[in-house]
Amino acid sequence: MNYRHAFHAGNHTEVFKHAALVFVLEHLRQKPQAFAVLDTHAGLGLYDLTSIEAQKTLEYEQGAAKVYAGDLNAAPAYAELLGAMNPVHLAAYPGSPEIVRRLLRENDRLIACELHPADFELLKARYRDDPRIAVHHRDGYEAIGAFTPPPERRGLVFIDPPYEATDEATQLAWALKNGLAKWPTGIFMAWYPIKDERIAETLAQAAVLAGFPKALRAEFLPRAQDGLSLAGGGLLIANAPWRLDERLSALCVELSGLLGDGKGRWAVDWLTAP
């Protein structure tokens, strides 16, 4: 599949993965030591929900719009961020770089990589004046080898590719394995789409066979799978923070009542010992 963020900004998979991203950033902020985040497929950083792309799909109406006006008890910081960006009505949705930027402290850093030329230029211009953010025009998987481990020795690698390549899951599995070999204590968080089970199975097998440390899998599908449409999304998190499984479970329970048709499913389980 081809997951260009501009068409899918704010949909149900974005709500789930970005709330989870906030959980991990909140964990990193608990200690005073600085941390670094490597966002391997950063996209535009911020998305206009009135744009041609967003209006073509209107996917945000079944995602962010469902949680925007009310409380999200399982993920209050995510809900507050969305509200702060949209004080009057829902018109913009934050991509992962913008979410990270808003949770960085003075000495924390974001390394954002984007390979699409036009998206890179927009991303670079957006964050040009923030000294905490470095934007690079380079392949995200290659960037994992180039930028890890960071000098801070604390932080996150967030991997959210567009799944344009037929062997994307295999590339991602190798990137996770090689990245963890270079930075065994880093948190690695990878998102994947769920139409069928192929991508999920490839990543799960890689995590188990390679022995990824504290590998947590979380999947949220607000509607039943038909093998064709984007039913939901999953996260594979290595070196998952303490109690992240509990927070993700609570999030899935709450989102199940807000999104979808009641015929979906969710699961949070450990692939390797916590």
Side-chain angles (χ1 to χ4, degrees):
M1 66 175 292
N2 185 333
Y3 193 94
R4 287 296 305 280
H5 291 89
F7 291 94
H8 307 291
N11 73 5
H12 58 84
T13 71
E14 302 260 285
V15 171
F16 175 61
K17 73 182 167 191
H18 287 153
L21 173 60
V22 171
F23 291 164
V24 175
L25 294 169
E26 288 181 305
H27 166 78
L28 290 168
R29 285 167 55 94
Q30 289 177 4
K31 292 184 178 180
Q33 295 91 343
F35 64 84
V37 177
L38 171 60
D39 191 337
T40 62
H41 298 74
L44 296 177
L46 187 66
Y47 298 90
D48 178 3
L49 296 181
T50 68
S51 69
I52 294 174
E53 293 86 354
Q55 289 298 307
K56 182 177 181 179
T57 62
L58 293 174
E59 290 187 11
Y60 69 90
E61 292 185 349
Q62 300 303 315
K66 296 286 188 179
V67 303
Y68 166 66
D71 295 327
L72 190 59
N73 295 324
Y78 167 77
E80 289 168 8
L81 188 154
L82 199 59
M85 290 182 56
N86 298 279
V88 179
H89 58 86
L90 184 62
Y93 188 80
S96 50
E98 183 64 17
I99 292 172
V100 174
R101 183 191 74 82
R102 288 173 176 261
L103 289 170
L104 290 178
R105 301 165 302 180
E106 183 178 359
N107 295 322
D108 301 327
R109 292 189 304 125
L110 167 62
I111 305 164
C113 297
E114 176 55 48
L115 192 57
H116 190 283
D119 291 358
F120 161 73
E121 292 296 340
L122 290 170
L123 187 70
K124 184 178 180 180
R126 187 181 306 282
Y127 298 123
R128 179 178 288 117
D129 296 328
D130 193 329
R132 302 170 302 171
I133 301 176
V135 179
H136 297 267
H137 184 215
R138 69 191 306 169
D139 176 76
Y141 295 130
E142 184 271 334
I144 295 174
F147 293 118
T148 62
E152 294 86 349
R153 299 288 171 167
R154 297 184 66 236
L156 165 70
V157 176
F158 183 70
I159 311 172
D160 185 11
Y163 289 88
E164 295 173 326
T166 56
D167 64 342
E168 192 84 51
T170 301
Q171 289 187 60
L172 177 51
W174 275 105
L176 287 167
K177 181 179 179 180
N178 295 335
L180 283 162
K182 286 201 65 181
W183 191 16
T185 59
I187 301 171
F188 286 74
M189 182 175 181
W191 176 83
Y192 55 91
I194 299 177
K195 285 186 175 180
D196 52 39
E197 304 300 327
R198 287 176 294 178
I199 296 175
E201 289 177 357
T202 297
L203 295 177
Q205 290 174 5
V208 172
L209 290 174
F212 293 177
K214 293 186 289 184
L216 180 67
R217 175 177 57 186
E219 297 184 343
F220 175 71
L221 295 80
R223 58 181 61 91
Q225 289 175 256
D226 59 12
L228 298 173
S229 61
L230 182 63
L235 295 167
L236 175 60
I237 306 154
N239 286 316
W242 183 59
R243 301 191 72 176
L244 181 60
D245 57 333
E246 297 175 18
R247 297 198 71 182
L248 288 173
S249 295
L251 176 66
C252 289
V253 169
E254 189 169 1
L255 289 181
S256 294
L258 296 171
L259 309 180
D261 56 10
K263 298 179 181 179
R265 64 172 176 85
W266 64 270
V268 178
D269 61 293
W270 292 98
L271 297 175
T272 60

